[in-house]
Amino acid sequence: MTKQITVYIVSDSAGESADLMIKTVMSQFTGQDIIMKHFSYVQNQQEMNNVITLAKYNPSIIAYTIVTPTLKHYLDQRAEEEGITAVDMMNPLMGVFSQKFQMEPTCEPGQIRKLDEDYFKRIEAIEFAVKYDDGQEARGLNQADLVLVGVSRTSKTPLSMYLANKKIKTANVPLIPEIPPPPELFSIPGIKCIGLIITPEKLNDIRKERLKNLGLTGPANYASLNRILTELEYAQNIMKRIGCPIIDVSNKAIEETADIILDLYNKRGSFA
C-alpha cells in the first residue's frame, strides 16, 4: 500500500548532508510517495515553529542537521510535545567523535561548506602551479597571486607546489641569459614577485649532483662556475629591474623559504 510521507529537512546551514542521506534512504523504499521539503539556514524559534506547524498536520518526519544547541533543544522539545517524529542525523556521530577526541564540538553551522571551499581553492591553486610551471603560458602571470623568479635549481617548482597547497596560485619563471623574460613579468607589480638567489658554490654542488643523477659525468657548461656566475649576475639584474623582494635559498629547506614568502605575503596584504 502506497503512503505519502513528507520529509522536512531542517538545518541551520545549507542542509546538503541531510539531503543526500535522506535521498539514500528513500532509494530503499521504491514505490512510496515521499515528498521532500527543505528549510535551510534556520536561525530562530519562529522559523522552527513554522516547520512544526506544517509537520503537525501531515504524515511527516523532520530530519535535521542542527549544531546550534539551543535550536536543537527547542526542536526536540516541540516535536515531542506535538507528537512529531524528529530525527537528529548528526548528534549520535558527533557524540562518538567528542568522546574519542575528549573535546566538545565547536557547534558552528556551515563548517562543511568552508572545508569544501578550502579544498577546491587548494585544487585550483595546484592546477595553476602545474600549468604555469617553469615559464609556461606567460599570459598566466597576470592571474597569479605570486610569481617566483630565479635561475635553474633554486627550488622554484617545489616552492610553487608548497605554496599552492596553501591556496596561493603561484607561477614561476626561469631566468636564463639567452632567453629574454616574458614581457608580462615586467607588467605585474614587483611586490607580487619573489626573487630566489643562491651562492655560486652551493648551486655548483647542486648542479653537479643533478648531472650525476642523470648519468652525465663529463664536463658540462650547466655546472661550470663561470656559467653559474654569469646566470646569477643576469638574474639579479632582472630582479632589480622588477623591484621584487629577494630571498637567499642557499642553506634553507623548502619549508623555511616558504615560511619567509608566506610572511611577506601576509604582511603585504596578499600582494594586492
Side-chain angles (χ1 to χ4, degrees):
M1 181 179 175
T2 301
K3 282 187 175 182
Q4 185 181 81
I5 298 273
T6 301
V7 180
Y8 295 95
I9 300 174
V10 184
S11 178
D12 47 10
S13 183
E16 293 167 343
S17 51
D19 182 80
L20 180 60
M21 191 175 294
I22 292 298
K23 286 177 180 176
T24 302
V25 172
M26 282 170 52
S27 69
Q28 303 302 311
F29 295 89
T30 55
Q32 299 304 312
D33 189 2
I34 303 173
I35 300 169
M36 296 173 62
K37 293 190 176 182
H38 297 79
F39 292 84
S40 302
Y41 302 105
V42 173
Q43 296 179 345
N44 54 57
Q45 293 183 0
Q46 181 56 55
E47 291 175 341
M48 203 68 82
N49 283 333
N50 293 339
V51 180
I52 293 290
T53 300
L54 290 170
K56 182 178 178 179
Y57 297 105
N58 296 290
S60 60
I61 298 169
I62 295 177
Y64 67 88
T65 52
I66 294 176
V67 297
T68 307
T70 54
L71 278 180
K72 171 185 157 36
H73 176 72
Y74 184 77
L75 175 55
D76 286 338
Q77 183 180 20
R78 291 287 291 112
E80 184 176 359
E81 289 172 358
E82 300 294 348
I84 299 167
T85 302
V87 182
D88 185 341
M89 304 184 71
M90 188 178 294
N91 198 56
L93 188 57
M94 189 101 72
V96 172
F97 271 69
S98 183
Q99 183 180 19
K100 291 295 182 183
F101 288 122
Q102 292 295 296
M103 63 180 289
E104 292 300 314
T106 61
C107 295
E108 294 179 24
Q111 293 302 301
I112 190 168
R113 182 170 290 278
K114 291 179 184 177
L115 289 173
D116 286 346
E117 287 174 359
D118 282 348
Y119 172 78
F120 286 115
K121 283 180 180 177
R122 186 176 296 110
I123 294 300
E124 182 183 7
I126 291 171
E127 290 175 346
F128 186 93
V130 171
K131 184 174 182 179
Y132 299 109
D133 181 44
D134 205 30
Q136 302 178 76
E137 297 278 352
R139 292 170 300 175
L141 298 184
N142 291 318
Q143 304 168 33
D145 296 323
L146 182 62
V147 179
L148 305 180
V149 296
V151 301
S152 173
R153 314 312 296 175
T154 48
S155 302
K156 295 185 300 299
T157 296
L159 276 169
S160 294
M161 296 307 297
Y162 187 98
L163 294 167
N165 274 284
K166 302 293 184 181
K167 304 187 292 294
I168 299 173
K169 292 191 290 185
T170 309
N172 71 80
V173 177
L175 299 179
I176 306 167
E178 294 77 15
I179 304 174
E184 290 85 353
L185 188 59
F186 303 103
S187 68
I188 59 178
I191 200 172
K192 284 184 66 174
C193 296
I194 295 288
L196 305 175
I197 61 169
I198 189 170
T199 62
E201 296 76 19
K202 183 70 173 178
L203 185 55
N204 184 242
D205 290 341
I206 292 172
R207 288 190 175 182
K208 282 180 178 177
E209 190 63 30
R210 173 65 173 163
L211 291 173
K212 189 187 297 183
N213 291 337
L214 293 173
L216 303 172
T217 54
N221 190 43
Y222 175 71
S224 75
L225 198 54
N226 285 337
R227 171 64 185 184
I228 286 171
L229 289 169
T230 299
E231 287 189 33
L232 290 174
E233 183 181 7
Y234 172 78
Q236 288 193 342
N237 286 335
I238 294 293
M239 292 173 195
K240 288 176 184 176
R241 185 179 163 191
I242 296 169
C244 63
I246 298 174
I247 300 173
D248 187 339
V249 301
S250 301
N251 296 301
K252 292 182 177 67
I254 298 296
E255 293 81 5
E256 291 178 87
T257 306
D259 284 344
I260 296 171
I261 294 172
L262 288 168
D263 188 51
L264 286 169
Y265 185 85
N266 292 325
K267 281 181 179 177
R268 301 190 182 192
S270 301
F271 296 131

